Amino acid sequence: ENGPGPVMSAPGHPYRPNGQGDDAAGDPTYRVSDLTNPILTPWAIEQMQITNDSVVAGNIPFEASERCYPPGVPAWNVFRRVGTPMIFFAQTPDKVLMMWRGDNLVRHVYLNVPHSDNPKPSWHGESIGHYEGNTLVVDTIALLEHPLSFVDNYRTPHTGQLHVVERFQLTDPDTVEVDITVEDPGAFTMPWKARQIMTRSTRGPMFESVCAEGNPDYFNLYPVPIPEADIPDF
């Protein structure tokens, strides 16, 4: 589609993921954001410039998937870690559950009800859904404004005004297309759109994949520690 789209890699700084490229492509890299994208407000650019400068200087940036943080929305649709890319959908009469195998994260999409009057902000926000034919339309608000909550893997920030609409359409028995519309007057100069395509996996069953319990930072390389509770839940 024409029109504004999400942040991508800065010119001269192509992103190469680990283990996904030939020898000629070079070593894997961390993402450096293209700050010339017209969707970005000066507030967003200022924060992202700090991270860009740090990455170019050779430092390791924060990545939610590596530090076992929730991805948020719409980052949920691009949140991936090598070996744990699977998302499982389950539907009941009143909700749709989206379960990501990495660290067993779950989104709850409540069907055919209005948004709460004063929803409490959270990492994944409040998601309300309905069907338009074979398309699941999910409207999400109340996304937590947090220095470690981003809308994508380029560490694009957002404010508490973030509003996301996702349209999940089963285009054939093995393909789901997700069309995403994002607006946040605090972080973006205009609404923008993105698309993610998911394909059915024949691998199974969907087994538990822990993150925080098996992801130590022996060499103190990462800028943000894995969250730890001070007291047990039970």
Side-chain angles (χ1 to χ4, degrees):
E1 280 187 29
N2 295 325
V7 170
M8 302 297 286
S9 293
H13 295 277
Y15 171 63
R16 292 188 296 271
N18 189 25
Q20 297 185 30
D22 55 37
D23 293 338
D27 294 332
T29 64
Y30 287 101
R31 290 177 174 86
V32 177
S33 308
D34 180 5
L35 302 185
T36 66
N37 191 314
I39 68 171
L40 297 173
T41 63
W43 172 82
I45 291 173
E46 181 180 4
Q47 296 185 65
M48 298 169 74
Q49 184 68 65
I50 295 172
T51 304
N52 274 6
D53 292 344
S54 179
V55 172
V56 172
N59 297 312
I60 297 175
F62 170 80
E63 291 194 0
S65 61
E66 291 183 350
R67 295 290 85 202
C68 308
Y69 275 73
V73 179
W76 175 276
N77 296 290
V78 296
F79 195 58
R80 299 291 183 270
R81 185 167 67 244
V82 175
T84 58
M86 294 172 63
I87 296 176
F88 183 76
F89 293 82
Q91 181 165 328
T92 70
D94 60 351
K95 74 169 65 172
V96 174
L97 299 176
M98 301 181 190
M99 293 165 278
W100 187 69
R101 193 176 74 177
D103 218 26
N104 311 296
L105 298 172
V106 180
R107 281 183 68 189
H108 298 256
V109 178
Y110 300 95
L111 297 175
N112 303 316
V113 294
H115 277 295
S116 305
D117 291 335
N118 295 292
K120 182 180 178 180
S122 61
W123 288 98
H124 290 145
E126 181 181 76
S127 294
I128 301 301
H130 69 276
Y131 275 95
E132 296 179 359
N134 68 341
T135 300
L136 173 64
V137 182
V138 180
D139 188 288
T140 302
I141 60 173
L143 289 150
L144 182 67
E145 183 174 339
H146 190 282
L148 297 178
S149 180
F150 304 104
V151 302
D152 56 24
N153 287 330
Y154 286 89
R155 299 171 299 280
T156 305
H158 68 84
T159 73
Q161 302 176 76
L162 179 63
H163 177 207
V164 181
V165 177
E166 302 155 288
R167 300 178 67 89
F168 296 82
Q169 182 180 22
L170 187 67
T171 55
D172 64 53
D174 295 318
T175 306
V176 172
E177 293 186 2
V178 191
D179 288 308
I180 307 158
T181 302
V182 180
E183 55 183 343
D184 178 351
F188 307 119
T189 60
M190 64 191 83
W192 54 272
K193 297 180 181 293
R195 171 174 287 183
Q196 177 67 286
I197 297 177
M198 303 179 183
T199 55
R200 185 187 301 273
S201 173
T202 58
R203 292 179 296 166
M206 187 173 179
F207 57 85
E208 180 179 10
S209 177
V210 297
C211 183
E213 297 86 347
N215 192 11
D217 182 12
Y218 293 116
F219 302 103
N220 298 315
L221 295 175
Y222 295 99
V224 178
I226 292 173
E228 294 183 3
D230 294 329
I231 58 176
D233 293 332
F234 52 87

